[in-house]
Amino acid sequence: MYRYDEFDAEIVRERIEEFRAQVERRLKGEITEDQFKPLRLMNGLYLQLHAYMLRVAIPYGTLSSRQLARLARIARDFDKGYGHFTTRQNIQYNWVRLVDVVPILEALAEVEMHAIQTSGNCIRNVTADHFAAAAADEVDDPRVWSEIIRQWSTFHPEFSFLPRKFKIAVTAAETDRAAVQVHDIGLHLKKRDGKLAFTVYVGGGQGRTPFVAPAIRDDLAPEDLLSYLEAILRVYNRAGRRDNLYKSRIKILVSALGAEEFARQVEEEWRLSDRARIDLPADEEQRIRDYFAPPCFRTLKDADAGFEAARARDAAFARWVSTNVHSHRTPGYASVTISLKPVGGIPGDATAAQMEAVAALGKRYSFDEIRVSHEQNLILPHVEKADLHDLWQALKENGLATPNAGLISDIIACPGLDYCDLANARSIPIAQGISNRFADLEQQAQIGELKIKISGCINACGHHHVGHIGILGVDKHGEEFYQILLGGRGDERAKLGKITGKGLPAEAIPDAIARIVARYIALRTDESERFIDAYERLGPKPFEEALYAEIKELAA
Amino acid sequence: MKMLTAHDLKTGAVVYWSGDGRWTPRIADAALLEDAAAAEALKAAEAAETVIVHPYLVPMDQPAAPIARERVRELIRARGPSTHPEFARP
Ligand code: HEM
Ligand code: SF4
């Protein structure tokens, strides 16, 4: 696994010392808030509705037990005993005090963590498939490339002051679990004629003006990655609009130029660039690859008799297995989704005790590795099938065994107006309302895969544009209203959801979702046709009709 | 009418201007200010950089009752996240 090297450790230490001095000067009034704000943001510290919020980076969502246990301790010692895992594979602490931030950063540095690149107009924490190095459909470990990008981009002098923040995501599996096509740059590594090649998507994004990124290359040799990324960033840095916040993202530039013209400019820039200087030598790539050496899997038969017996005997366990256990490429192993979405709970929140429990279970059952998924769950990537029943029981004791991964209550929700200074409306209570409405897990399983994503404002931190059902909070004269979107998806066939008619008040949402679901159940060919498949076959009309049915009756 | 609110610099906690020289954590104790007095209080708060951060005015028509676009937001700010009643403030 990645360990930050000497260079990183030194820089992180220097940054903490620098920040300590900056905080002291701020407290003494030697610098103003206007001067201090960009400095604290560079260290991941925001001011939110109730308090300061600290965002800590979890590069490509990979954690060791020791790191997760440390995150738990910080939650207990410096916060109100919990943390919030985000769609960007980060963790946010909602209640930190300014005077505690330096001690927190020190505690993080001891376990090789930090809050750098979680804010500001730089290349942000690179995200990746949470089943990296475990998924059967993978051609390479995407974290190797994420880490190469991280090392290249961290403190890159040319790219520390971009027109706007910049997000890169990487997947190397057939199924895209990292939503790469809605990032500024999405990298999808595939096998092409027996060789690895990146498909390069540029100019995707959500927010006010959402775009699914066009692919500008589908045959980029991995060894050319950094020089090619640098060429993209150069074109953007030169031409991106710095004068208008809403037009400053690369997606606006790509859309204004057209993908072809943008690609042409990138190719030209790339051909002229000093590629030998930028690209990573093979031995460097190998050095980084070694960080991600696979664990020492045992040689096992794929089927495990004890596991099969437990599954046959214990229906609750079998249900959890069918949703939260995923096939692994190594015989006898599986990956496990630990749901942070208990019925009626707060999506993505974990208490200190839960984090500690998962840290211990990761150590015991998953080679000391834990992942954070962009769907706000935790993952144990490498569990022996023979251990699954014991693991499930331990998770149950900690309220972490909800069998709902991928189901209607596995909702993504941003913090919304309960925490966020930019929000128009609350998101979390909407998620809770839907989750309670569908509390019957049997019913959820019958509905099947359905991804609901909720944002409290147009910034789209909750990915509402790519939810099968998306929900967007809007403000109407001081009241919270919710706009519903249908048919979005964030996978390898990414699409933006279609905005339906007028917004609904919070209390109408659970029933509105229930009507859409009932219509889907009535119309699906059989259980194998997922909601999104039925939507794509039938179009929005029947679902929109169902959504507004009751409302029309009321009006009539 | 307006109230003046901000965050405590050291802790980030929500505070309100009481009108008698103090910052208070309770919205119920926030002073209801006429426009001119509010502007003046804001100016003084902006100068109190070592005590508070991000001061701003909120429209009100009676004590502890923010109005208009800020209504829901300010009520959540005053009480704490609606999703964590255990952290609610009086
Ligand atoms: C609570 C503090 C937060 C603030 C102030 C904040 C602010 C913002 C803003 C202003 C944008 C739009 C940027 C733009 O269009 O250029 C944005 C985008 C985004 N945020 Fe947040 N956010 C917060 C929390 C979160 C959380 C908790 C998550 C994860 C659950 C998140 C994930 C994202 C993502 C994925 C985007 C990308 C949308 C895009 O492609 O433009 N944010 N955020
Ligand atoms: S989508 Fe809006 S409300 Fe939600 S976290 Fe992002 S900025 Fe805040």
Side-chain angles (χ1 to χ4, degrees):
Chain A
M1 193 190 314
Y2 161 68
R3 291 170 302 274
Y4 61 33
D5 44 33
E6 289 303 309
F7 171 73
D8 285 350
E10 188 53 37
I11 287 181
V12 168
R13 258 197 308 274
E14 281 169 15
R15 278 288 282 270
I16 295 175
E17 286 317 310
E18 229 173 72
F19 193 54
R20 185 197 311 279
Q22 289 159 349
V23 171
E24 276 166 17
R25 296 181 62 204
R26 174 70 184 92
L27 291 171
K28 285 191 203 142
E30 292 169 10
I31 50 175
T32 64
E33 181 62 18
D34 285 348
Q35 292 167 320
F36 181 63
K37 187 173 169 182
L39 304 174
R40 67 168 159 78
L41 287 174
M42 272 168 64
N43 290 285
L45 189 66
Y46 290 71
L47 183 63
Q48 289 296 297
L49 274 194
H50 308 289
Y52 293 101
M53 179 272 279
L54 183 70
R55 185 181 289 163
V56 176
I58 301 174
Y60 28 86
T62 296
L63 287 167
S64 66
S65 303
R66 185 163 160 259
Q67 290 175 320
L68 183 55
R70 182 56 57 97
L71 294 179
R73 205 178 93 192
I74 291 170
R76 181 174 288 124
D77 291 353
F78 297 107
D79 201 283
K80 290 187 189 286
Y82 68 104
H84 180 71
F85 290 99
T86 81
T87 48
R88 302 220 65 258
Q89 299 180 314
N90 294 317
I91 185 169
Q92 295 188 174
Y93 294 108
N94 293 303
W95 300 95
V96 300
R97 307 184 319 159
L98 179 59
V99 289
D100 289 334
V101 175
V102 166
I104 294 174
L105 294 177
E106 286 174 331
L108 289 168
E110 280 171 19
V111 296
E112 310 185 331
M113 296 184 77
H114 55 75
I116 296 166
Q117 281 180 311
T118 60
S119 171
N121 297 333
C122 59
I123 298 175
R124 300 285 189 89
N125 187 25
V126 179
T127 51
D129 186 352
H130 48 262
F131 290 142
D137 63 346
E138 178 178 280
V139 297
D140 193 13
D141 187 336
R143 296 171 305 163
V144 173
W145 302 102
S146 309
E147 174 56 19
I148 288 171
I149 296 167
R150 194 197 65 80
Q151 293 202 4
W152 158 78
S153 67
T154 306
F155 311 119
H156 192 306
E158 205 176 325
F159 305 136
S160 298
F161 297 97
L162 293 167
R164 200 73 177 84
K165 61 182 171 183
F166 204 90
K167 299 177 180 176
I168 303 179
V170 189
T171 186
E174 204 172 312
T175 309
D176 174 11
R177 286 169 287 258
V180 304
Q181 294 177 30
V182 287
H183 282 75
D184 294 294
I185 296 180
L187 297 170
H188 199 153
L189 191 60
K190 300 176 186 178
K191 267 238 163 82
R192 228 176 170 262
D193 310 323
K195 279 209 196 109
L196 290 179
F198 281 108
T199 299
V200 181
Y201 295 95
V202 182
Q206 303 195 51
R208 184 174 302 269
T209 330
F211 284 102
V212 171
I216 63 165
R217 264 303 274 275
D218 65 359
D219 60 351
L220 182 70
E223 58 273 21
D224 294 334
L225 178 65
L226 292 185
S227 58
Y228 199 77
L229 291 179
E230 197 147 327
I232 294 172
L233 278 150
R234 284 243 165 91
V235 171
Y236 167 55
N237 215 2
R238 217 164 37 220
R241 299 261 313 246
R242 286 170 189 267
D243 56 325
N244 181 334
L245 199 60
Y246 297 126
K247 295 193 172 162
S248 54
R249 299 289 293 261
I250 196 171
K251 60 191 178 187
I252 307 295
L253 178 65
V254 173
S255 139
L257 290 176
E260 249 172 70
E261 171 58 18
F262 182 81
R264 193 195 61 74
Q265 293 191 15
V266 170
E267 291 292 327
E268 190 177 292
E269 175 71 40
W270 187 52
R271 264 197 320 264
L272 296 175
S273 68
D274 182 1
R275 282 147 61 175
R277 181 185 61 79
I278 305 165
D279 281 321
L280 206 60
D283 56 338
E284 256 313 89
E285 182 194 320
Q286 189 55 48
R287 185 184 66 87
I288 289 174
R289 194 169 283 282
D290 290 344
Y291 290 147
F292 299 95
C296 301
F297 292 118
R298 297 203 301 148
T299 308
L300 300 168
K301 282 215 281 287
D302 195 43
D304 180 83
F307 165 64
E308 294 304 341
R311 194 149 70 146
R313 180 177 75 232
D314 187 337
F317 175 60
R319 175 177 301 151
W320 178 77
V321 169
S322 70
T323 48
N324 292 43
V325 174
H326 318 274
S327 59
H328 196 285
R329 64 160 171 244
T330 312
Y333 286 84
S335 302
V336 168
T337 298
I338 299 174
S339 172
L340 297 182
K341 323 284 175 70
V343 171
I346 297 175
D349 273 13
T351 63
Q354 287 179 323
M355 287 188 247
E356 272 157 4
V358 174
L361 293 170
K363 186 164 191 128
R364 171 136 185 225
Y365 294 119
S366 183
F367 296 95
D368 204 16
E369 244 190 275
I370 299 105
R371 307 277 173 79
V372 181
S373 81
H374 89 272
E375 294 180 322
Q376 301 182 286
N377 291 314
L378 297 176
I379 309 283
L380 297 185
H382 314 297
V383 182
E384 273 187 34
K385 285 182 180 173
D387 290 333
L388 283 169
H389 194 260
D390 289 348
L391 169 64
W392 173 70
Q393 284 177 313
L395 288 172
K396 241 182 1 174
E397 282 165 24
N398 290 283
L400 290 166
T402 314
N404 63 346
L407 301 183
I408 194 168
S409 61
D410 186 6
I411 299 170
I412 291 185
C414 79
L417 192 52
D418 281 301
Y419 295 97
C420 177
D421 194 38
L422 305 174
N424 283 324
R426 280 171 283 180
S427 317
I428 296 166
I430 302 300
Q432 292 175 304
I434 297 169
S435 177
N436 283 323
R437 180 74 168 69
F438 293 92
D440 178 354
L441 290 160
E442 185 72 45
Q443 186 200 5
Q444 287 196 33
Q446 280 162 10
I447 296 166
E449 182 184 305
L450 209 174
K451 303 198 174 200
I452 298 184
K453 307 188 195 245
I454 310 174
S455 307
C457 82
I458 195 64
N459 285 324
C461 304
H463 289 195
H464 65 272
H465 293 297
V466 293
H468 298 168
I469 300 177
I471 303 177
L472 166 65
V474 294
D475 168 85
K476 255 197 192 166
H477 318 296
E479 302 290 336
E480 298 162 289
F481 270 79
Y482 297 89
Q483 183 92 58
I484 298 199
L485 294 85
L486 293 172
R489 56 196 290 175
D491 58 5
E492 65 284 356
R493 292 173 50 205
K495 259 201 202 77
L496 301 173
K498 175 180 182 294
I499 298 173
T500 62
K502 67 179 198 325
L504 306 176
E507 57 281 8
I509 297 289
D511 284 344
I513 302 296
R515 288 195 299 276
I516 296 172
V517 169
R519 182 61 57 95
Y520 151 66
I521 301 281
L523 294 177
R524 70 181 174 189
T525 49
D526 59 38
E527 282 188 14
S528 72
E529 190 181 46
R530 299 171 306 168
F531 173 83
I532 190 68
D533 305 327
Y535 178 89
E536 289 180 356
R537 177 170 61 83
L538 295 161
K541 201 157 162 271
F543 302 100
E544 280 180 298
E545 273 170 18
L547 169 57
Y548 290 107
E550 200 118 318
I551 294 160
K552 263 194 221 121
E553 275 163 33
L554 287 176
Chain B
M1 300 291 271
K2 303 216 165 81
M3 73 172 176
L4 172 61
T5 182
H7 293 262
D8 181 88
L9 174 65
K10 288 198 187 86
T11 64
V14 174
V15 290
Y16 302 92
W17 180 243
S18 67
D20 60 2
R22 284 179 312 115
W23 291 96
T24 157
R26 287 166 43 93
I27 191 171
D29 298 335
L32 207 55
L33 306 164
E34 298 291 348
D35 285 3
E40 208 167 297
L42 177 62
K43 224 170 139 198
E46 279 166 351
E49 282 254 341
T50 56
V51 183
I52 45 114
V53 55
H54 191 42
Y56 61 94
L57 297 170
V58 180
M60 311 269 279
D61 52 11
Q62 49 180 310
I67 53 170
R69 241 187 101 91
E70 287 86 347
R71 193 183 65 88
V72 184
R73 174 194 146 94
E74 288 303 328
L75 288 177
I76 290 174
R77 231 175 127 254
R79 290 178 194 150
S82 65
T83 49
H84 279 289
E86 72 277 27
F87 304 147
R89 301 193 300 165

